[in-house]
Amino acid sequence: LTFPNGPAGVKQIREELVARYPTTFPKYLANYGTPNHGTKKYSAAGWSQFYAEYQGPRVRVFEIQLEGPINERWPTRSHEALFGSLAPTMDNAQAILRRFASRAFRRPVADDELKVLTDFVQRRRAAGDAPLAALKAGFQAVLCSPNFLYLQENPGALDDYALASRLSYFLWSSLPDEPLLALAAKTELHKLETLTAQTRRMLADPRARAFTENFTARWLALYKLGSMPPSPKEHRNYYVDNLEPAMRRETQMFFQRVLTENLPIANFLNADFTFVNSSLARLYGIAGVKGMEFRQVTLTDPHRGGLLGQASVLTVSANGIDTSPVIRGIWVSENLLGKRPPPPPPDVKPLEPDIRGATTIREQLKKHREIATCNECHHKIDPLGFALESFDPIGAWRTRYGRARDTSALPVDPSGQLPDGQEFADIVGFKKILAAREDQFAHCLTEKLLAYSMGRTLETADRPHIDRIVADSKTKGNGLQDLVLLVVQSRPFRTK
């Protein structure tokens, strides 16, 4: 058996079993369960004694046998990918290498490149390698080549093969397929109507799920999910209900629906639907959802709509133990408003949370802002994070800090005032303010998409193109799929 979060969860279960069934574990209790032996109860001997008396179900593996390889067909798919219909002989070496290198380089291999590869394979054969071993060495040489490891893009307008690769890695995170390469061979792909049609085709393909998964991982920092796991003691449901993959899946399915149906990007700021399974439904307080299968639900709780109500975002913007309006405020500023705050001054100590619970984070930040150099940024950042304080480190709703049943805990105050004077009482009011800033959000999302699509940071020269994309998207209704199409059609995407 394995338990989420490692031995800590096992220890907790073990102690619960011992407390519930003391007559089953007399020797364990006598030697390892008393206060005098508290430092020894997690020792190897303690584990051994516990399992010696344990009478419940367990999994024991006595033997594992492996048989294979079992090929349902010959040649196998992997063999065909390497050699096609050709036999792996030296007579076929040039044809095999041409086919493999052209696929790996995502363009026809040049004659001089092919000669280098062929000569290398011939030398390996002359040195005593069998034909198959010599050809494998040739494959390795191809896969070590910069032409395979990097996208080859010359300055200026991209040629059709480079454009095919850029488009394919943008939407599929993989090399171009045959239709794209065929259009590139005919120098048809660079034409806007062809490029647009291929983009639509690729977005409709199941392989476009890679775009959803990888772009949301970078844009929303979902790749950090699980890097700072919550405390098993305070958030046991995170592990029992397997919430981490469920959180990620909700956001991916939400993004995918907005993309596939070309819904307005305003849904990222607020929406009346999301996707949950029974685990997430329990976290959100949504009734009537059973089973681990995800399904779309209509939201009646106004706190939950949009990205800021999703547990994935709320978890990656916390540290697993407590929440910080500063960290969450920076997340909102960078990922929704497109503003990257400067780093804190080197002579200012980081804010330490009051673990006694005697003061709220709001009170501590108020004192922190008395430092002039800190106030310059914190009066812009902190209110954005205050709006999210009603969500705990894994995104559950709360009205007080500390344990849910602790009536003596300090109350949460999710109100705030932005630098321009706009005030909000809670997350609902804050989302209304964000909705009024849809143009700013559109600029932010366009920048994220364009940078991701090109694989480089944006420059000052890109700004007019971003403004044009945002303006054109607005005239089309601000649909997400339209925005992706406009990014692909833009001059920065089609040039280097």
Side-chain angles (χ1 to χ4, degrees), residues 56-69:
R58 68 181 74 187
V59 176
R60 291 180 175 175
V61 179
F62 296 95
E63 182 179 355
I64 295 177
Q65 292 186 354
L66 300 178
E67 181 179 346

Side-chain angles (χ1 to χ4, degrees), residues 375-422:
N375 184 60
E376 178 63 27
C377 289
H378 276 276
H379 84 287
K380 302 175 184 177
I381 297 170
D382 297 352
L384 306 178
F386 287 147
L388 303 179
E389 275 296 275
S390 292
F391 298 103
D392 75 5
I394 63 169
W397 184 258
R398 65 184 178 186
T399 57
R400 293 180 178 274
Y401 293 101
R403 294 180 178 273
R405 298 179 181 178
D406 186 2
T407 57
S408 65
L410 294 170
V412 171
D413 180 3
S415 64
Q417 183 180 34
L418 300 179
D420 62 3
Q422 293 187 89

Side-chain angles (χ1 to χ4, degrees), residues 238-476:
Y238 182 87
Y239 304 98
V240 173
D241 287 340
N242 203 23
L243 285 175
E244 182 182 314
M247 292 174 177
R248 185 180 290 106
R249 186 72 181 129
E250 175 195 12
T251 303
Q252 291 172 349
M253 293 183 73
F254 182 82
F255 181 92
Q256 187 65 46
R257 192 199 162 198
V258 177
L259 175 67
T260 302
E261 300 187 18
N262 196 29
L263 299 181
I265 60 173
N267 281 280
F268 293 124
L269 303 178
N270 202 4
D272 62 357
F273 71 94
T274 192
F275 294 83
V276 297
N277 62 1
S278 58
S279 298
L280 274 180
R282 277 191 293 274
L283 182 72
Y284 294 167
I286 299 174
V289 178
K290 297 181 180 180
M292 298 307 292
E293 182 181 353
F294 275 79
R295 78 280 330 252
Q296 182 176 322
V297 295
T298 300
L299 295 172
T300 57
D301 180 358
H303 304 117
R304 284 295 170 189
L307 293 173
L308 294 182
Q310 295 183 8
S312 62
V313 167
L314 296 163
T315 301
V316 299
S317 58
N319 64 8
I321 300 174
D322 54 23
T323 61
S324 167
V326 178
I327 296 175
R328 282 180 168 172
I330 291 174
W331 189 98
V332 173
S333 182
E334 290 184 348
N335 298 307
L336 299 186
L337 301 178
K339 300 292 184 182
R340 179 183 290 274
D347 58 338
V348 177
K349 295 182 179 180
L351 191 67
E352 295 291 340
D354 182 359
I355 59 175
R356 301 167 301 166
T359 59
T360 64
I361 187 68
R362 178 183 290 269
E363 292 170 337
Q364 296 173 63
L365 285 170
K366 182 179 180 180
K367 189 172 183 179
H368 196 64
R369 288 195 299 272
E370 292 176 359
I371 305 173
T373 53
C374 297
N375 184 60
E376 178 63 27
C377 289
H378 276 276
H379 84 287
K380 302 175 184 177
I381 297 170
D382 297 352
L384 306 178
F386 287 147
L388 303 179
E389 275 296 275
S390 292
F391 298 103
D392 75 5
I394 63 169
W397 184 258
R398 65 184 178 186
T399 57
R400 293 180 178 274
Y401 293 101
R403 294 180 178 273
R405 298 179 181 178
D406 186 2
T407 57
S408 65
L410 294 170
V412 171
D413 180 3
S415 64
Q417 183 180 34
L418 300 179
D420 62 3
Q422 293 187 89
E423 298 180 353
F424 55 87
D426 55 18
I427 182 64
V428 177
F430 180 65
K431 287 193 294 186
K432 290 179 180 178
I433 294 175
L434 286 181
R437 298 187 178 186
E438 186 178 342
D439 283 353
Q440 185 177 356
F441 171 65
H443 271 83
C444 175
L445 180 55
T446 301
E447 290 172 359
K448 301 288 185 182
L449 281 168
L450 191 59
Y452 177 84
S453 71
M454 298 186 299
R456 67 168 174 83
T457 56
L458 299 182
E459 302 170 351
T460 304
D462 296 315
R463 291 179 182 174
H465 302 286
I466 293 170
D467 293 340
R468 188 174 301 113
I469 292 171
V470 172
D472 291 344
S473 177
K474 190 173 183 178
T475 62
K476 294 175 178 291

Side-chain angles (χ1 to χ4, degrees), residues 126-144:
D129 282 0
L132 181 59
L135 286 168
K136 286 183 177 180
F139 294 154
Q140 292 173 348
V142 170
L143 298 179
C144 291

Side-chain angles (χ1 to χ4, degrees), residues 33-40:
T34 65
N36 293 333
H37 296 86
T39 58
K40 298 181 180 179

